[in-house]
Amino acid sequence: LAVKDPTAVERANLLNMAKLSIKGLIESALSFGRTLDSDYPPLQQFFVVMEHCLKHGLKVRKSFLSYNKTIWGPLELVEKLYPEAEEIAASVRDLPGLKTPLGRARAWLRLALMQKKMADYLRCLIIQRDLLSEFYEYHALMMEEEGAVIVGLLVGLNVIDANLCVKGEDLDSQVGVIDFSMYLKSDEDIGSKERNVQIAAILDQKNYVEELNRQLNSTVSSLHARVDSLEKSNTKLIEELAIAKNNIIKLQEENHQLRSENTLILMKTQHHLEATKVDAEAELQTYKHSRQGLDDMYNEARRQLREESQLRQDMENELVVQVSMKHEIELAMKLLEKDIHEKQDTLIGLRQQLEEVKAINMEMYQKLQVSEDAMKEKNEIIGRLEDKTNQINAAMKQLEQRLQQAEKAQMEAEAEDEKLKQEYVNKSESLQKEFSQKEKQLLQLETDLKIEKEWRQTLEDDLQKEKETVSHLRIETQEIVNLKKEFLKLQEKNKQLKRICQDQEAALEELASKLSESKLKIEDIKEANKALQGQVWLKDKEATHCKLCEKEFSLSKRKHHCRNCGEIFCNACSDNELPLPSSPKPVRVCDSCHAILIQRCSSNVP
């Protein structure tokens, strides 16, 4: 025969005992009434069997004094795996009567049975076998399949309602011995099989209902979690919607501002376009007029050429007569050439002057840039700019005058040419050459005029820029003047505040002097009171008349008693009053010792 493993035999025996104890507990509970107390014997035997099952294969742990072997370690591990077990562990630790780990483990088993979650707790513990290996050997009941079977059997205990008192019970010193007499069969047990079948059906129904209840609880908890998440998402969406609305409002405002700026820019551009159109039309008109004048001149020249060609034959007949005048004509032509060279020299000089004006404009632009750093030199630079602009205008006028003179000279030269043509008809060939030269000169003059017009336009643009810089400088100077005015206003306000502060300081000094005087008076009164201590007050019955006016006390003449000297005065005689800082009204003072008077009832007033 093969030798069996003793640990396997122990596991099988413990499993059978657990089956018997759980079955007997359920059957006895159904016959007894399902609600069990701690004194019920099958329930006590069930806890003993469970304790033996949990102790099987438990590792021995070393302590300071001896070796320790307890089941509280693996049971304490359940709260980390199953969060709902934290309440049981905390309540077990807080129990005052428990001193040993074994007692805490027994209390934990009882509380788990009352919660009907013992099977759930142990199932979480069995699943984590890597953690159980720290407490149990590899052949222990909780590490093998028998432990899972026992956990499945414990589910049937959910039909039992246990009402156990753990607080006052001595769980540390109990002896865990299994009573096998409870599990022996009898004749009555054989007769009660039918009743057990019915009870089992009822228990199955109850288990089914409890499982449904658990599933419903889990679904309700999941629905609550979903509701919470939906509420959170709803609040987040509401916040995002509010933020989006605010952003939309801001964007609408920015859009409105941009539209207004766009309209302003459009208006400015329209005005600028209108101005440019007007300038372009004026330039076109001037160009057309000048072009018409040149066309007229060209037509006249062509007409003259035709006339001269017609008169050429006549001039050839008169050539012989005019040979003597040839030298004079050549001298006249030389003079004309000299005049033309002088005019070219003047034009070159004008160009040099224009270049000098441009250089002056560049110097002015650099000076304007430097003027931004030094505000004191702005006024001087403005004056210089105005002077230079006047000089430029004068130069422009001189240029215009010189241009007019050149045009007049051109007209005179043309008149002289016509006279010479009329006078000297015989020299057609020389006149044609001169005419071609004059046409070339006209083309050069036209090009020079165009160049001068362009230079004039550039000069006008530079003048416009200089005027703009001058206007900017004037605006800055105006801003500086405004800042100076504001600074003067602030200085005046500062002076007023200083005056008010000085007045308040003077008022505080006066109050301090008055308070010091009143304190001195109070100290004098205290010294007088100390000197007059020990005197006896006069009785009300004996004091019937005022000491000063010797009149009898009545309702109109009330008694005022001095607390130091004991004298009694009427309210008409005690008119001396002293202001005190602690009281809102002045206090009456004694005439003799200057102590505070106390009003008392007169003897003849009830």
Side-chain angles (χ1 to χ4, degrees):
L1 295 172
V3 179
K4 291 185 178 180
D5 188 6
T7 56
V9 174
E10 289 176 1
R11 290 199 300 272
N13 292 332
L14 287 171
L15 178 61
N16 292 325
M17 285 304 303
K19 288 179 181 178
L20 289 171
S21 64
I22 290 166
K23 185 179 178 183
L25 181 60
I26 292 169
E27 289 176 355
S28 62
L30 292 173
S31 61
F32 185 70
R34 291 194 186 181
T35 303
L36 306 178
D37 296 331
S38 59
D39 295 333
Y40 192 59
L43 186 61
Q44 292 179 355
Q45 286 298 311
F46 166 73
F47 287 126
V48 171
V49 172
M50 285 302 300
E51 188 176 340
H52 280 284
C53 291
L54 290 170
K55 281 182 179 179
H56 183 263
L58 194 67
K59 288 182 180 179
V60 178
R61 288 182 173 272
K62 293 182 181 180
S63 63
F64 291 104
L65 300 175
S66 62
Y67 292 99
N68 190 8
K69 188 176 181 180
T70 180
I71 60 173
W72 173 240
L75 294 178
E76 194 176 9
L77 188 65
V78 175
E79 63 177 336
K80 297 179 181 178
L81 303 174
Y82 202 82
E84 293 182 3
E86 293 178 356
E87 187 178 355
I88 295 174
S91 60
V92 167
R93 292 190 192 95
D94 294 336
L95 285 172
L98 300 177
K99 296 179 181 179
T100 60
L102 183 60
R104 295 191 186 94
R106 288 169 178 170
W108 189 90
L109 290 171
R110 282 158 176 76
L111 290 173
L113 183 64
M114 283 194 286
Q115 279 190 347
K116 297 183 181 181
K117 289 185 178 180
M118 186 185 288
D120 297 333
Y121 295 156
L122 294 177
R123 182 174 59 81
C124 292
L125 193 62
I126 287 168
I127 291 168
Q128 303 292 330
R129 292 194 178 182
D130 53 348
L131 297 174
L132 280 176
S133 62
E134 296 179 2
F135 300 98
Y136 289 101
E137 299 290 343
Y138 68 95
H139 57 79
L141 177 70
M142 298 297 290
M143 298 290 288
E144 297 292 336
E145 293 180 357
E146 286 84 357
V149 175
I150 290 169
V151 170
L153 293 171
L154 290 173
V155 177
L157 296 176
N158 293 334
V159 298
I160 298 171
D161 295 329
N163 189 7
L164 307 176
C165 183
V166 184
K167 189 174 182 181
E169 193 173 357
D170 187 10
L171 299 174
D172 295 327
S173 61
Q174 285 183 0
V175 179
V177 180
I178 300 172
D179 188 6
F180 292 99
S181 63
M182 295 178 65
Y183 305 109
L184 296 174
K185 289 185 178 180
S186 61
D187 296 332
E188 294 178 357
D189 295 333
I190 296 166
S192 63
K193 285 183 179 179
E194 295 178 355
R195 186 168 60 83
N196 289 333
V197 171
Q198 294 176 358
I199 290 166
I202 292 166
L203 288 173
D204 292 335
Q205 290 178 359
K206 186 177 180 183
N207 290 329
Y208 177 70
V209 171
E210 286 182 352
E211 288 294 327
L212 282 174
N213 193 7
R214 285 184 183 180
Q215 290 178 2
L216 290 170
N217 287 327
S218 64
T219 54
V220 166
S221 62
S222 64
L223 288 170
H224 280 302
R226 284 182 183 178
V227 167
D228 293 333
S229 64
L230 287 170
E231 286 179 354
K232 288 179 182 178
S233 62
N234 192 6
T235 53
K236 287 180 181 178
L237 287 171
I238 289 165
E239 290 175 357
E240 289 176 357
L241 196 142
I243 292 164
K245 285 182 179 178
N246 292 325
N247 290 326
I248 287 164
I249 291 164
K250 289 179 181 177
L251 289 170
Q252 287 177 355
E253 291 177 355
E254 289 178 358
N255 192 3
H256 184 68
Q257 289 178 0
L258 290 170
R259 284 181 179 176
S260 62
E261 289 176 358
N262 193 3
T263 52
L264 290 170
I265 290 163
L266 285 170
M267 292 292 288
K268 288 179 180 178
T269 52
Q270 286 178 358
H271 288 300
H272 186 67
L273 285 169
E274 288 176 356
T276 52
K277 282 180 181 179
V278 171
D279 294 333
E281 288 177 356
E283 288 178 357
L284 282 169
Q285 287 178 359
T286 53
Y287 180 71
K288 286 178 181 179
H289 287 301
S290 62
R291 186 67 180 272
Q292 276 183 353
L294 292 170
D295 291 335
D296 294 335
M297 289 171 69
Y298 182 70
N299 292 322
E300 287 177 358
R302 286 185 71 185
R303 185 173 55 80
Q304 288 175 0
L305 278 172
R306 287 174 184 174
E307 290 177 354
E308 287 174 357
S309 62
Q310 289 175 3
L311 295 170
R312 182 177 180 181
Q313 293 176 359
D314 298 331
M315 289 178 183
E316 286 177 354
N317 296 322
E318 293 179 358
L319 262 172
V320 179
V321 179
Q322 299 295 332
V323 172
S324 62
M325 299 298 291
K326 184 177 181 180
H327 296 289
E328 294 177 359
I329 292 164
E330 288 176 357
L331 292 170
M333 289 299 294
K334 287 179 181 179
L335 291 170
L336 286 170
E337 286 176 357
K338 286 180 182 180
D339 292 330
I340 290 162
H341 286 300
E342 287 177 358
K343 288 175 183 178
Q344 288 178 355
D345 294 331
T346 53
L347 287 170
I348 290 162
L350 289 170
R351 286 176 185 174
Q352 290 177 358
Q353 288 178 1
L354 286 168
E355 288 177 357
E356 289 175 358
V357 169
K358 283 184 179 180
I360 290 163
N361 286 327
M362 292 297 293
E363 290 177 359
M364 290 297 294
Y365 183 73
Q366 292 175 359
K367 287 179 181 179
L368 285 170
Q369 287 181 348
V370 174
S371 66
E372 290 179 356
D373 299 329
M375 291 301 294
K376 292 180 180 180
E377 296 177 358
K378 285 181 180 179
N379 294 321
E380 296 176 359
I381 292 166
I382 289 163
R384 292 174 185 174
L385 287 170
E386 289 177 353
D387 294 333
K388 288 180 179 179
T389 50
N390 292 323
Q391 290 175 2
I392 289 162
N393 290 321
M396 290 294 293
K397 288 178 181 179
Q398 289 177 2
L399 287 171
E400 288 177 355
Q401 289 176 0
R402 288 179 181 177
L403 286 170
Q404 290 176 0
Q405 289 176 1
E407 288 176 355
K408 287 178 181 179
Q410 187 179 358
M411 292 296 289
E412 290 176 354
E414 289 176 356
E416 288 177 356
D417 289 333
E418 289 177 357
K419 288 178 182 179
L420 289 169
K421 284 176 183 179
Q422 289 176 3
E423 290 176 355
Y424 306 106
V425 180
N426 295 324
K427 294 180 180 181
S428 61
E429 292 178 358
S430 63
L431 287 171
Q432 285 177 358
K433 291 178 182 179
E434 289 174 1
F435 184 75
S436 62
Q437 289 177 0
K438 286 180 181 179
E439 282 182 351
K440 290 178 182 179
Q441 290 175 2
L442 284 170
L443 290 170
Q444 289 177 359
L445 289 169
E446 285 177 358
T447 54
D448 294 334
L449 285 169
K450 287 179 181 179
I451 291 163
E452 288 173 358
K453 284 180 180 179
E454 290 175 358
W455 287 345
R456 185 177 180 183
Q457 187 66 32
T458 53
L459 288 170
E460 287 177 355
D461 293 333
D462 294 333
L463 283 170
Q464 187 66 29
K465 288 179 182 178
E466 289 172 359
K467 287 179 181 177
E468 289 177 357
T469 52
V470 169
S471 63
H472 285 302
L473 291 169
R474 286 177 181 172
I475 290 164
E476 288 178 357
T477 52
Q478 188 66 32
E479 289 176 355
I480 291 163
V481 171
N482 294 326
L483 288 170
K484 285 181 181 178
K485 289 180 181 178
E486 290 179 358
F487 181 70
L488 292 171
K489 288 180 181 178
L490 290 170
Q491 283 182 348
E492 289 177 358
K493 287 182 181 178
N494 191 7
K495 288 179 182 178
Q496 291 177 359
L497 290 170
K498 284 181 179 178
R499 289 174 187 171
I500 292 164
C501 184
Q502 290 175 1
D503 295 336
Q504 289 177 354
E505 287 177 354
L508 288 170
E509 289 176 357
E510 290 177 359
L511 287 170
S513 62
K514 288 181 180 179
L515 284 170
S516 62
E517 290 176 359
S518 63
K519 283 183 180 179
L520 291 170
K521 288 181 181 179
I522 288 164
E523 288 177 358
D524 294 337
I525 290 164
K526 285 181 180 179
E527 289 176 359
N529 288 334
K530 286 179 182 178
L532 294 170
Q533 281 179 359
Q535 294 185 5
V536 182
W537 280 26
L538 192 64
K539 293 182 180 180
D540 290 338
K541 292 180 180 181
E542 295 177 358
T544 58
H545 292 78
C546 179
K547 188 176 180 181
L548 293 176
C549 63
E550 296 181 355
K551 291 183 181 179
E552 188 176 359
F553 293 112
S554 63
L555 288 171
S556 62
K557 292 188 177 184
R558 295 183 297 278
K559 292 180 182 180
H560 289 278
H561 199 286
C562 181
R563 63 176 70 185
N564 289 324
C565 62
E567 298 294 338
I568 297 172
F569 304 97
C570 63
N571 57 353
C573 295
S574 59
D575 290 335
N576 293 327
E577 293 180 349
L578 181 66
L580 290 177
S582 60
S583 63
K585 295 181 181 180
V587 184
R588 294 181 182 273
V589 182
C590 179
D591 291 331
S592 59
C593 65
H594 297 288
I596 297 169
L597 296 176
I598 300 170
Q599 185 177 354
R600 299 178 65 183
C601 295
S602 60
S603 59
N604 54 0
V605 178

